[in-house]
Amino acid sequence: MAINTGQNYKENQPIHETTIYAEPVFHVGDFQITNSLLNSWLAVLVIIVFCLALRLKLKQVPGKIQHIFEILLESALSLCDQVTNDRKITLKIFPLVTSLFIFILVNNWLGLLPIVGSIGFFANEAGHSVFIPIFRAGTADINTTLALSIAVVIGSNIFGIIAIGAWKTFNKYVNIKALGEVVTKFRKDKNVIIVAPITFFVGILEMIGEMAKVASLSFRLFGNVFAGEVLLASMGAIFLYILPTPFLFLEVFIGLIQALIFSLLATVYFTIAAQDHEEHAEKELAHI
């Protein structure tokens, strides 16, 4: 008969820890369904049900709830106007950035519910019984925030192509026009041989900047939400029931702020992409 040593006893103890990666819950063929993906689907379902319920209650003469939402909508439009300085651009990008805000906000707040992170099952990993929650905040998974960031950057460039044209958008990154000016303007202005390569190099920096946008957007959102998960789990383990409550309210506020920051930065990127920098520079030179 084998005797279970203290070391083996510790190894067989269930482990419940917050991992930096999303845990797989089940598979559909080769496709892995993680707990953060399930939470994101739940967030989409909540948004759809809420929007349908709100749509069915719309009236010509608004009630109290509809009136509150109309005030919030107008305030959001005004905030977007402060970034774009153009109501036409605002109306074009407002549905997208508002959808991003609501999706991220619901995902952040769903991650704070008691059922998220506490309902799950045990699985054996490396000789240990590990607890895997069925739901986990979608924005606490780098894959979710990375996908959102890539969508924003690609979408802003597509919006720029629609707004100012494919050629001007392309020249923003690969400034062929600047290199062509070395030949066309060299006789009149010798300085162009220095200015043109610098202008071309600035375009390369713009391309690197687009990649940096993806990193900054994704890691900022992921880092704050994941850190909040770790903080709440730590406070809940050390001080039960009472002390974690202020941190819970703090995470509610942080979830709102992070959703707002992400959507505002998306608004800024779309606005910049829709601007013709060459035309703007020519107008400034005309004023001088």
Side-chain angles (χ1 to χ4, degrees):
M1 181 177 69
I3 299 174
N4 191 16
T5 62
Q7 183 179 356
N8 291 332
Y9 176 77
K10 290 180 181 179
E11 288 178 355
N12 293 326
Q13 287 298 298
I15 298 174
H16 187 183
E17 59 183 6
T18 303
T19 59
I20 199 168
Y21 56 88
E23 299 94 341
V25 178
F26 61 92
H27 294 78
V28 178
D30 294 331
F31 187 70
Q32 183 174 271
I33 308 297
T34 63
N35 46 16
S36 63
L37 182 59
L38 285 176
N39 195 83
S40 296
W41 287 349
L42 178 61
V44 172
L45 180 63
V46 169
I47 293 170
I48 291 172
V49 171
F50 179 77
C51 290
L52 288 175
L54 192 64
R55 176 67 182 86
L56 293 173
K57 293 185 178 181
L58 288 178
K59 298 178 181 178
Q60 290 290 339
V61 180
K64 291 182 179 179
I65 296 178
Q66 183 178 337
H67 185 62
I68 291 172
F69 276 97
E70 287 180 358
I71 293 173
L72 291 174
L73 186 64
E74 188 59 38
S75 300
L77 279 168
S78 300
L79 181 61
C80 198
D81 281 339
Q82 293 178 26
V83 178
T84 63
N85 292 318
D86 189 340
R87 178 51 70 99
K88 290 182 180 179
I89 295 178
T90 296
L91 293 176
K92 289 178 181 178
I93 66 177
F94 185 76
L96 176 62
V97 295
T98 305
S99 300
L100 279 171
F101 171 77
I102 295 173
F103 174 75
I104 294 171
L105 180 65
V106 173
N107 241 313
N108 290 346
W109 283 357
L110 279 178
L112 301 176
L113 294 178
I115 62 170
V116 177
S118 59
I119 298 177
F121 58 93
F122 287 95
N124 290 321
E125 291 185 7
H128 294 284
S129 180
V130 180
F131 178 78
I132 298 177
I134 296 176
F135 293 103
R136 181 183 180 182
T139 45
D141 180 14
I142 188 62
N143 295 297
T144 304
T145 59
L146 189 61
L148 290 173
S149 303
I150 292 173
V152 166
V153 172
I154 293 176
S156 64
N157 282 280
I158 293 174
F159 184 70
I161 291 172
I162 296 170
I164 63 175
W167 177 248
K168 289 182 178 179
T169 303
F170 176 75
N171 267 276
K172 188 190 298 183
Y173 304 115
V174 184
N175 203 328
I176 299 174
K177 183 180 177 181
L179 294 179
E181 287 178 351
V182 176
V183 179
T184 58
K185 295 184 178 181
F186 181 71
R187 291 183 179 180
K188 296 180 180 179
D189 186 8
K190 305 298 182 184
N191 292 327
V192 73
I193 198 170
I194 298 174
V195 174
I198 293 174
T199 306
F200 181 82
F201 182 70
V202 168
I204 303 298
L205 291 178
E206 285 280 350
M207 193 180 299
I208 297 172
E210 293 298 299
M211 300 175 188
K213 288 177 185 177
V214 174
S216 65
L217 280 174
S218 57
F219 283 107
R220 180 188 293 108
L221 181 58
F222 163 72
N224 280 278
V225 176
F226 178 75
E229 274 193 351
V230 174
L231 176 65
L232 289 177
S234 301
M235 291 299 103
I238 299 172
F239 305 101
L240 293 177
Y241 305 120
I242 299 176
L243 190 61
T245 304
F247 294 98
L248 184 63
F249 285 108
L250 177 63
E251 287 304 315
V252 170
F253 179 70
I254 289 175
L256 173 63
I257 294 299
Q258 289 303 316
L260 183 61
I261 290 173
F262 194 99
S263 55
L264 282 177
L265 285 174
T267 306
V268 171
Y269 297 154
F270 273 81
T271 304
I272 292 172
Q275 292 177 348
D276 188 347
H277 298 288
E278 291 182 3
E279 184 179 341
H280 182 69
E282 288 175 1
K283 286 182 180 178
E284 285 188 345
L285 288 172
H287 286 300
I288 296 173

